Amino acid sequence: MSQYLEFDFSLPQDYFDIWIAELSNDGFEAFHEDGEILKGYILEEDFSPRRLQAMTDKYEDLFDLKFTTRKSENKDWNAVWESSFEPVLIRDEVYVRAIFHPALPEIKHEIVIQPKMSFGTGHHATTWQVMDLMLRSDMSKKYILDFGCGTGILAILAHQLGAESIVAIDNDPNCIENSTENFLLNGIHDIMLIEGSIDIIEETVGIHKQFDIILGNITRNVIVSNF
């Protein structure tokens, strides 16, 4: 039976989403938040100390990161993470819940997601702040690009806020799968979902396409290198 490694990452909670995104792209399959510790799980044969060190070095000027590791008992860590997923309420206006949580009919905007390991669930500062800003912005009739859509919740909220047209893009096939699932869970069928780099937008949508608002809940270096 394959053996998992369990990592305890110590870093500021505001950067949990960023670190989850990086680790997800490097083979980590599941995560669990334990206070100020982010636990990550990866198959032993998939782990590369060199790649982890390279990621750590990339963020050394942004936050202080420490970690410990141990061999873990074998279990479905994705199931453990999903069972620990708690709903998120933003300004009493947006309610992000998993399919197994009860609805809150009194909340204006409800987003239902299948919790998986894609970036952005509304729990941490980056996603929460973007959604908070969206609530305070005029999204009605706007042309929106969700760059690095992850779970797709920003695109879903833009749709609920009255956006005219939405393009969501991500280069991670797992994110595309999760976004597709979440769009369907929320009864949305008219968001254009693209897998690939930003160059694909010109080929798929057309170079003439102009966006009023770009949602970029993704690491700064990726945004700078693409815009």
Side-chain angles (χ1 to χ4, degrees), residues 88 172 195 214:
V88 178
D172 184 342
E195 179 181 346
I214 297 176

Side-chain angles (χ1 to χ4, degrees), residues 74-165:
N74 291 308
K75 62 171 68 175
D76 186 347
W77 289 109
N78 264 326
V80 172
W81 186 86
E82 290 177 16
S83 68
S84 69
F85 180 89
E86 295 293 335
V88 178
L89 187 60
I90 300 171
R91 295 180 62 198
D92 292 328
E93 293 185 51
V94 180
Y95 179 52
V96 183
R97 67 176 179 90
I99 56 176
F100 46 78
H101 291 135
L104 292 181
E106 66 274 19
I107 301 300
K108 185 175 183 180
H109 301 288
E110 180 181 76
I111 299 175
V112 183
I113 68 172
Q114 176 61 53
K116 294 183 178 178
M117 291 295 89
S118 302
F119 178 61
T121 59
H123 283 83
H124 301 298
T126 55
T127 309
W128 194 99
Q129 289 172 351
V130 172
M131 297 178 80
D132 180 63
L133 182 60
M134 290 172 68
L135 289 172
R136 293 184 281 111
S137 303
D138 181 11
M139 310 290 287
S140 179
K141 305 300 182 182
K142 296 296 194 297
Y143 289 83
I144 308 294
L145 171 64
D146 185 359
F147 178 65
C149 60
T151 59
I153 65 172
L154 298 183
I156 293 170
L157 181 58
H159 189 278
Q160 294 183 2
L161 291 173
E164 177 75 19
S165 174

Side-chain angles (χ1 to χ4, degrees), residues 6-9 16 20 29-41 77 79-85 117 124:
E6 177 182 354
F7 285 78
D8 285 354
F9 295 102
F16 274 14
I20 287 173
E29 297 182 10
F31 305 91
H32 177 67
E33 297 169 28
D34 185 9
E36 296 182 354
I37 299 296
L38 175 66
K39 293 181 177 292
Y41 303 90
W77 289 109
V80 172
W81 186 86
E82 290 177 16
S83 68
S84 69
F85 180 89
M117 291 295 89
H124 301 298

